Amino acid sequence: MSAGAATGSPVTADSTVTLLVADDDEVTRSGLRTLLAAQPGITVIGEAADGVEAVDEARRLCPDVVLMDVRMPRRNGIEATRELLSEARGTGSGAPPKVVVITTFENDDYVTAALSAGASGFVLKRLPVRQIAEAVRVVAAGEAILFPATLRRMVAARPLESAEALPRAALTVREEEVLRLMATGLSNPEIAGSLTVSLETVKTHVGNVLTKLGAQNRTHAVVIAYESGLVVPGFTG
């Protein structure tokens, strides 16, 4: 798992992350709530059994992070993620919760769609709880959870929905270079080291890339990079 910096107002390192767990399976949901509540720096403040409840409870409780299953009744995790994030932008009501998708299968088409909807990353249900907890803390701190190889495989099986995004965006040569490095899972400090530029310069380029692509966040920009063909199999930076 690799993390890359993102924009937003991060939770500080010494603060407690508030978490909402959304999963339609009661046993899974209860287990996640109990195990994650026992992890340092995490307070589970609510749960939801489907996407409708996830949106309602997120509005009511204002968690830092929503751990969102994607395959749920009434409203799936993709639609719930899109509604949560677009609602906050539309109303100007402050920072929405970060969303971490949790799924059983690495090749779940729903995951890529959820990332395109604005989720900050994804984790697998089979991971040890300490790794899921770390993903929650990383995302709450304003970073992104990227699995470049897995993401590339998922995108390769999907229609190229963003194939025209890069030509329309008119990225500069350096911005394309930064996007390629983002797609390998490098963090902003690692990109700065690779390009021998300052961290602030990298942050500026990343911000420009997100704006030009119309990307929800860093992870969405990486999805676009793969779908557009800017990043090809075997690219390692």
Side-chain angles (χ1 to χ4, degrees):
M1 179 171 63
S2 178
T7 58
S9 300
V11 173
T12 58
D14 59 350
S15 60
T16 298
V17 177
T18 55
L19 178 68
L20 173 69
V21 177
D23 196 296
D24 64 316
D25 184 83
E26 184 176 357
V27 174
T28 299
R29 187 174 68 251
S30 177
L32 284 170
R33 177 169 190 159
T34 300
L35 293 171
L36 288 168
Q39 295 295 306
I42 294 177
T43 298
V44 181
I45 60 174
E47 60 182 65
D50 57 52
V52 173
E53 283 189 12
V55 172
D56 290 344
E57 288 300 281
R59 288 170 177 161
R60 184 175 71 87
L61 299 171
C62 299
D64 297 315
V65 178
V66 178
L67 187 63
M68 183 85 75
D69 189 21
V70 288
R71 298 183 181 225
M72 296 188 290
R74 292 211 291 170
R75 183 177 300 149
N76 62 40
I78 302 165
E79 295 168 350
T81 296
R82 184 177 293 112
E83 182 172 351
L84 276 176
L85 302 182
S86 63
E87 179 181 82
R89 287 193 304 273
T91 61
S93 57
K98 302 294 196 319
V99 175
V100 176
V101 172
I102 186 163
T103 182
T104 303
F105 306 106
E106 284 190 21
N107 62 347
D108 195 334
D109 288 342
Y110 280 61
V111 173
T112 316
L115 296 176
S116 294
S120 294
F122 70 96
V123 292
L124 300 175
K125 291 183 180 181
R126 67 171 181 265
L127 288 177
V129 67
R130 69 180 185 279
Q131 292 186 26
I132 297 174
E134 178 60 17
V136 168
R137 288 190 288 262
V138 165
V139 166
E143 300 180 355
I145 304 297
L146 299 177
F147 299 81
T150 301
L151 185 57
R152 182 172 61 240
R153 288 196 300 271
M154 288 192 296
V155 170
R158 284 164 45 86
L160 301 182
E161 298 174 358
S162 302
E164 297 302 317
L166 283 173
R168 290 199 308 269
L171 299 180
T172 66
V173 172
R174 179 47 64 94
E175 287 165 355
E176 284 195 6
E177 191 173 14
V178 167
L179 179 55
R180 285 192 180 94
L181 293 175
M182 288 165 57
T184 68
L186 293 187
S187 65
N188 282 358
E190 289 168 337
I191 294 173
S194 176
L195 298 179
T196 319
V197 297
S198 72
L199 180 59
E200 288 305 314
T201 296
V202 172
K203 289 180 178 178
T204 298
H205 287 315
V206 170
N208 289 342
V209 168
L210 299 186
T211 298
K212 288 184 177 181
L213 292 179
Q216 304 272 8
N217 53 31
R218 186 188 191 92
T219 311
H220 187 198
V222 170
V223 170
I224 292 173
Y226 283 123
E227 288 186 335
S228 68
L230 177 68
V231 178
V232 297
F235 179 76
T236 60

